[in-house]
Amino acid sequence: MTENTQQQTAPTTELPTQYAPAEVEGPLYERWVERGYFEADAKSEKPPYTIVIPPPNVTGSLHLGHAFEHTLIDALTRRKRMQGYETLWQPGMDHAGIATQNVVERELAKEGKSRHDLGREAFVERVWQWKAESGGQISGQMKRLGDGVAWSRERFTMDEGLSQAVQTIFKKLYDDELIYRAERIINWCPRCLTAISDIEVEYQDDDGELVSIRYGEGEDSLVVATTRAETMLGDTAVAVHPDDERYRHLVGKRIKLPLTDRTIPVVADTHVDPEFGTGAVKVTPAHDPNDFEIGRRHDLPNLAVMDERAVITAHGPFQGLDRLEARSAIVAALRAEGRIVAEKRPYTHSVGHCSRCKTTIEPRLSMQWWVKVGPLAKAAGDAVRDGKVTIHPQEMEKRYFDWVDNLHDWCISRQLWWGHRIPVWYGPNGEVVCVGPDEQPPAGEGWHQDTDVLDTWFSSGLWPFSTLGWPERTESLEKFYPNSVLLTGYDILFFWVARMMMFGLYAMDGTPPFHTIALHGMVRDQNGKKMSKSFGNVVNPLDWMDAYGSDAVRFTLARGANPGVDVPIGEEWVQASSKFANKIWNATRFALMNGATVEGELPDPSEMSATDRWILSRLNKTVAEVDAFYDDYQFSKLSDALYHFAWDEVFDWYVELSKTTFFAGGDGARVSGRVLGEVLDVMLRLLHPVVPFVTETLWTTLTGGESVVIADWPKDSGFRDAAAEQEIALVQRVVTEVRRFRKEQGLQDAQKVPARLELDGTALAPHEPAIRQILRLQPEGEGFSATASLPVAGATVALDLSGTIDVEAERKRLTKDLAAAEKEKAQANGKLGNEAFLAKAPDNVVEKIRTRLAKADEDIARIQAQLANLPQA
């Protein structure tokens, strides 16, 4: 065992009779923060352990996904702090460009205003005002959960230091020709009026229409199918596969585009799948990313037919219509001309929506700023291939490589006012100047700054080093970079993780931002269904914390966390975790009242009973198991190991087996009291990272130590006692078997039964008082009659049930049950012996009958044994 090195005061055994989380958690957390337990000292000589918080949006509030991820990170950092590391859990928030701008614009709308009424400067000032007054409520909720973050180091992606980091890396990338400006297809939100990243697009199945349209005339015609008929106004070609014999005569010809005065060419391109649909596809380079690439290969014009609000701009009868209005009007016009070959409604297909406002995304050709990701992505892939960075679980590596090895250039500009403004100035004569943080922008008539801001992921991609003071070579950067581990959801592996990898390797001279990427799954409801407002299954974790305490929520989440696997969670599981916290409280309170102590040295094993040596052996094995599970990010397994050790082995077995020793007093009670104190001390320290509040109260009460937060993490002393473990296993067998028999006979747990224990010559003899105590077995007494005899573990337990049950009534009940079981067996055998039935019955039906037969056999054997054990008349 480890010895706690903190200064201790005399422990007190006084604990309230019930655990009240609401009264305990808030004051404890304030005390931890006031004493600076979570702060990190860059001057410390301790080895560093660094984790960044995936920065939540400034608009956000704590949801179950946050609670899940924060619980796991907090468990890792609390353990490392106890192990003697200088631990930094870096907190902060993301400015969340689109989300925050939308929030403030909605407030303005209530006043009958838009951001344009205020102007850019005044609007940005209004956003800062909103942040100061309303943003960041999630910080207080993180404290409710128990997040042990270094609050004095809290950062914001728009603060002065991080803004300098953003401008620095933009300038560096620009000078290295890794940032450029070009016209490309992007995800465009007609409501937010900005380009958005892939992660801000939510795909869902929508009911639309699939129309097949005939282009061209006579033999020089072909049919294309589309769900977006309005985009045909921007078609500049039809594409077919080069090897498709059906259309080879058309390749190179021009055909009439319906509803227009234009003709368009038929081009051959290998992108087209000849087996899909008609094997011919319309090509609209300005409104589809795949079509844009076809257009580039064949030098096709880019004809935009919609404006930024998705209103048709093409000359003709459809000009001025919204895209959806135009879709219906164009289909009607094509139908009138006899151009519609087929229509399918409804046609369910996957459609992208803006994650902020739910508007359908419009692919749109737009002049934007881009990062040339080729060399950056290669470095990010090589860092994992070369072993500099480990992905856990390993099977996620393939998904990572699939992404970084095929990464397209990244659109980093957003048409917003809230965010890091692109540090590029344009001159009156076409000059373009990128300005670094220490440079003065060009001034004079005609000079103006780019109006766009940077994608939020651009600044959050710098998070592991910008939060430590980069580009300055600060003490914190030297001490805490690279991060030890990044723990985050697999859903942002491609977006946030890949960007941090690219920027970290680029900015920090080839040093990756973290050694390990540990990926977890998503929280789902108890049926495994995704949580969604539309499903009505979203849970506010604060409600569960109010009802059951933060420890219960944390333990439930950790117990469900298998690496890379989604986590189902339901309220009844939180209730069960609350019972576990109460069990720890009540059992520790009982132990303290009955001699559990940490005072003095642990007695020599020669002074201990087999029960004492058994629990210490199991304790050390648990320490080793928990350490191994932590190192492998197996939160579910370590939580299960702690649960079963605490509840099953310590409380249900050790405390129960030791009660007779405690009640007897003397040296045995003194030794067992010290052993129990040691077990509780270590167990509470092992549990602390996952359930910090209840363990803090119990541990300080038990030990008199300052705080379990800064206590030593337990170490496996190597103590093992196989003989004691085997001996107690025999005791457990006897107790379990007699309990089972009592239950079968309908005896209440508290009902006392006369019994004779024939234990001589076995290792069980010293445990007779404990066995009798646990099983409520009275001494034989006069007139004892062994009406039931149970041979178990080399011993015999004889019971006198004559005065405890109605033997004849029980015999009748069991005989009736036996007849029913035998009838069930006969029916099952009859069907399984019928060849005609077996030939016709489905496999699953036959398997059910075989299961029924096996169950009937088990029931018959059990009931016959119960009848044999009944007292004889």
Side-chain angles (χ1 to χ4, degrees):
M1 300 303 105
T2 60
E3 292 184 8
N4 175 42
T5 57
Q6 297 180 70
Q7 182 177 358
Q8 297 181 344
T9 58
T12 173
T13 59
E14 294 182 3
L15 281 172
T17 54
Q18 290 185 324
Y19 177 49
E23 298 174 12
V24 170
E25 293 174 352
L28 274 187
Y29 190 86
E30 289 179 12
R31 190 184 314 156
W32 292 335
V33 173
E34 288 170 2
R35 293 178 178 179
Y37 292 155
F38 305 140
E39 296 302 324
D41 182 4
K43 299 181 185 298
S44 168
E45 294 183 0
K46 296 178 181 178
Y49 186 80
T50 316
I51 295 183
V52 295
I53 189 173
N57 288 353
V58 67
T59 59
S61 60
L62 192 74
H63 57 63
L64 263 181
H66 288 129
F68 173 57
E69 186 167 79
H70 291 201
T71 293
L72 305 188
I73 298 176
D74 196 40
L76 291 176
T77 53
R78 284 179 182 268
R79 172 177 175 255
K80 285 296 182 180
R81 188 178 295 112
M82 295 171 75
Q83 286 182 316
Y85 287 79
E86 193 62 33
T87 302
L88 170 59
W89 183 9
Q90 174 66 54
M93 285 183 291
D94 193 288
H95 65 278
I98 295 177
T100 306
Q101 181 157 318
N102 280 348
V103 167
V104 179
E105 286 197 82
R106 282 196 294 269
E107 286 193 353
L108 285 174
K110 294 175 184 176
E111 303 169 16
K113 298 178 182 178
S114 74
R115 59 180 163 126
H116 300 285
D117 294 325
L118 272 65
R120 184 170 192 141
E121 187 175 333
F123 176 77
V124 170
E125 182 58 36
R126 178 72 175 258
V127 179
W128 278 109
Q129 179 184 339
W130 174 87
K131 177 190 179 291
E133 295 173 356
S134 306
Q137 63 173 318
I138 195 171
S139 296
Q141 295 165 348
M142 288 164 57
K143 294 174 182 177
R144 281 283 312 276
L145 186 65
D147 286 5
V149 300
W151 287 112
S152 69
R153 292 173 171 267
E154 186 175 12
R155 303 302 300 269
F156 180 57
T157 51
M158 286 278 287
D159 68 28
E160 184 177 352
L162 269 64
S163 295
Q164 181 185 27
V166 167
Q167 195 171 351
T168 298
I169 200 161
F170 187 100
K171 170 72 171 173
K172 181 174 170 59
L173 288 163
Y174 182 88
D175 290 346
D176 288 346
E177 299 183 349
L178 292 173
I179 281 183
Y180 63 94
R181 192 168 184 244
E183 237 186 357
R184 296 281 189 276
I185 292 285
I186 44 86
N187 300 310
W188 182 265
C189 177
R191 157 63 182 79
C192 298
L193 298 180
T194 181
I196 64 174
S197 65
D198 291 338
I199 197 171
E200 291 162 327
V201 179
E202 292 180 348
Y203 288 90
Q204 66 184 46
D205 288 339
D206 286 357
D207 285 340
E209 61 181 355
L210 180 68
V211 293
S212 298
I213 310 167
R214 182 173 297 282
Y215 284 22
E217 305 293 343
E219 292 184 358
D220 291 347
S221 68
L222 38 68
V223 175
V224 300
T226 181
T227 58
R228 301 167 66 218
E230 69 279 8
T231 63
M232 69 163 291
L233 300 175
D235 286 359
T236 56
V238 172
V240 298
H241 193 276
D243 299 330
D244 195 331
E245 293 291 343
R246 294 171 294 175
Y247 305 116
R248 182 163 291 180
H249 69 288
L250 290 177
V251 174
K253 290 187 177 182
R254 300 185 71 85
I255 60 174
K256 177 75 165 54
L257 178 66
L259 304 183
T260 72
D261 295 326
R262 295 189 292 117
T263 60
I264 57 176
V266 177
V267 300
D269 196 282
T270 55
H271 171 76
V272 180
D273 179 2
E275 303 298 324
F276 182 77
T278 65
V281 297
K282 59 192 289 299
V283 182
T284 321
H287 293 279
D288 183 274
N290 292 322
D291 293 3
F292 178 77
E293 294 302 324
I294 293 175
R296 291 179 67 180
R297 288 193 288 273
H298 297 277
D299 199 24
L300 300 174
N302 300 317
L303 183 59
V305 295
M306 278 181 255
D307 66 12
E308 61 184 7
R309 297 183 185 276
V311 172
I312 300 298
T313 57
H315 292 297
F318 312 108
Q319 187 175 10
L321 295 180
D322 172 79
R323 57 183 167 169
L324 298 182
E325 296 173 333
R327 182 176 300 171
S328 298
I330 287 171
V331 171
L334 288 168
R335 191 183 299 112
E337 288 192 4
R339 292 282 180 176
I340 300 295
V341 176
E343 297 180 68
K344 184 175 181 180
R345 293 190 187 87
Y347 178 73
T348 303
H349 60 130
S350 182
V351 178
H353 296 260
C354 174
S355 63
R356 304 300 176 193
C357 68
K358 311 308 177 186
T359 301
T360 300
I361 291 301
E362 189 64 44
R364 184 169 187 257
L365 186 64
S366 180
M367 182 66 76
Q368 301 285 345
W369 284 95
W370 304 80
V371 172
K372 187 184 297 182
V373 300
L376 303 175
K378 183 181 184 303
D382 290 345
V384 175
R385 288 187 173 94
D386 297 343
K388 290 182 180 178
V389 178
T390 300
I391 294 180
H392 187 90
Q394 189 175 1
E395 53 265 28
M396 287 286 180
E397 278 189 5
K398 183 180 185 301
R399 296 180 65 180
Y400 176 80
F401 291 135
D402 286 346
W403 178 258
V404 297
D405 292 347
N406 299 284
L407 202 55
H408 298 295
D409 285 0
W410 170 21
C411 177
I412 56 172
S413 45
R414 299 291 180 267
Q415 290 64 55
L416 304 171
W417 287 356
W418 173 245
H420 295 102
R421 196 164 173 182
I422 289 177
V424 171
W425 271 254
Y426 304 103
N429 299 311
E431 302 95 334
V432 180
V433 177
C434 180
V435 178
D438 300 322
E439 301 171 350
Q440 290 297 318
E445 186 177 348
W447 283 94
H448 64 280
Q449 188 177 358
D450 195 301
T451 57
D452 288 351
V453 300
L454 288 163
D455 177 13
T456 298
W457 296 100
F458 191 93
S459 51
S460 59
L462 314 180
W463 194 246
F465 52 93
S466 63
T467 52
L468 298 173
W470 187 89
E472 302 298 323
R473 302 299 296 193
T474 63
E475 284 184 321
S476 290
L477 188 66
E478 296 292 337
K479 177 74 173 179
F480 295 113
Y481 187 91
N483 287 196
S484 306
V485 62
L486 174 76
L487 191 142
T488 192
Y490 64 70
D491 59 323
I492 55 174
L493 171 64
F494 313 131
F495 304 102
W496 186 46
V497 178
R499 281 150 175 71
M500 286 191 290
M501 285 285 283
M502 291 191 295
F503 280 169
L505 289 159
Y506 174 74
M508 298 300 293
D509 302 320
T511 302
F514 18 73
H515 298 302
T516 300
I517 301 168
L519 299 169
H520 60 72
M522 303 295 101
V523 177
R524 296 181 178 269
D525 71 12
Q526 61 193 37
N527 300 313
K529 194 173 184 179
K530 180 181 177 182
M531 288 193 174
S532 167
K533 291 180 181 178
S534 61
F535 296 153
N537 61 352
V538 173
V539 173
N540 183 348
L542 296 172
D543 293 340
W544 281 353
M545 288 185 219
D546 290 341
Y548 307 108
S550 297
D551 282 336
V553 174
R554 289 171 62 115
F555 191 73
T556 305
L557 291 165
R559 203 172 178 194
N562 290 300
V565 178
D566 289 345
V567 182
I569 184 172
E571 186 168 5
E572 64 268 30
W573 301 337
V574 184
Q575 292 173 341
S577 295
S578 175
K579 291 178 181 177
F580 178 54
N582 287 325
K583 180 74 170 181
I584 299 170
W585 181 275
N586 293 332
T588 303
R589 184 172 178 271
F590 171 86
L592 287 169
M593 294 169 63
N594 287 275
T597 179
V598 297
E599 294 180 354
E601 293 294 323
L602 198 63
D604 189 82
S606 62
E607 300 180 57
M608 299 178 188
S609 67
T611 308
D612 294 332
R613 297 194 305 277
W614 164 75
I615 196 61
L616 290 177
S617 184
R618 290 296 308 130
L619 175 66
N620 277 281
K621 285 184 177 179
T622 302
V623 171
E625 281 182 354
V626 169
D627 273 333
F629 289 142
Y630 261 116
D631 292 341
D632 199 34
Y633 304 99
Q634 297 278 0
F635 295 97
S636 176
K637 290 182 179 179
L638 72 89
S639 299
D640 261 349
L642 288 169
Y643 176 90
H644 290 295
F645 175 73
W647 194 307
D648 300 346
E649 297 186 301
V650 178
F651 303 142
D652 280 0
W653 284 110
Y654 180 74
V655 170
E656 292 300 319
L657 288 170
S658 300
K659 279 182 178 178
T660 53
T661 302
F662 287 131
F663 296 161
D667 286 342
R670 176 187 59 80
V671 171
S672 291
R674 181 63 187 89
V675 169
L676 181 53
E678 180 76 8
V679 170
L680 291 176
D681 172 17
V682 174
M683 184 193 76
L684 292 170
R685 282 185 277 153
L686 289 174
L687 280 164
H688 172 72
V690 181
V691 285
F693 294 107
V694 67
T695 52
E696 171 80 339
T697 304
L698 295 175
W699 187 85
T700 52
T701 301
L702 170 71
T703 68
E706 180 184 339
S707 172
V708 71
V709 176
I710 53 172
D712 292 336
W713 181 252
K715 293 180 181 177
D716 175 10
S717 71
F719 178 80
R720 301 288 191 275
D721 194 320
E725 292 201 38
Q726 291 173 359
E727 187 171 321
I728 300 305
L730 293 177
V731 176
Q732 292 172 324
R733 280 182 58 193
V734 170
V735 171
T736 301
E737 183 65 22
V738 176
R739 276 178 173 165
R740 182 192 62 78
F741 177 75
R742 287 177 58 115
K743 184 176 182 181
E744 289 175 349
Q745 301 307 316
L747 298 177
Q748 298 298 316
D749 290 342
Q751 193 169 351
K752 295 181 179 179
V753 179
R756 179 173 65 245
L757 275 60
E758 299 172 4
L759 308 178
D760 292 344
T762 72
L764 294 167
H767 302 282
E768 180 169 347
I771 293 172
R772 285 187 176 275
Q773 168 75 24
I774 294 171
L775 292 172
R776 307 292 192 270
L777 301 180
Q778 292 179 313
E780 299 171 46
E782 292 185 14
F784 176 83
S785 174
T787 57
S789 183
L790 299 176
V792 58
T796 301
V797 178
L799 304 172
D800 184 353
L801 304 179
S802 57
T804 58
I805 62 174
D806 184 335
V807 176
E808 284 309 310
E810 185 65 10
R811 193 183 304 281
K812 287 180 181 179
R813 183 185 71 81
L814 290 172
T815 301
K816 183 179 178 181
D817 290 347
L818 180 60
E822 287 173 338
K823 181 179 179 182
E824 175 74 5
K825 178 179 180 177
Q827 289 176 341
N829 273 327
K831 289 185 176 181
L832 293 174
N834 185 334
E835 293 295 335
F837 170 80
L838 293 176
K840 295 179 180 179
D843 290 345
N844 64 320
V845 172
V846 175
E847 186 58 36
K848 284 182 179 178
I849 295 171
R850 289 194 177 116
T851 302
R852 282 168 49 195
L853 176 60
K855 175 69 166 53
D857 281 334
E858 289 177 7
D859 289 345
I860 290 168
R862 174 178 54 80
I863 297 168
Q864 286 175 339
Q866 289 177 252
L867 283 167
N869 281 316
L870 282 177
Q872 299 302 310

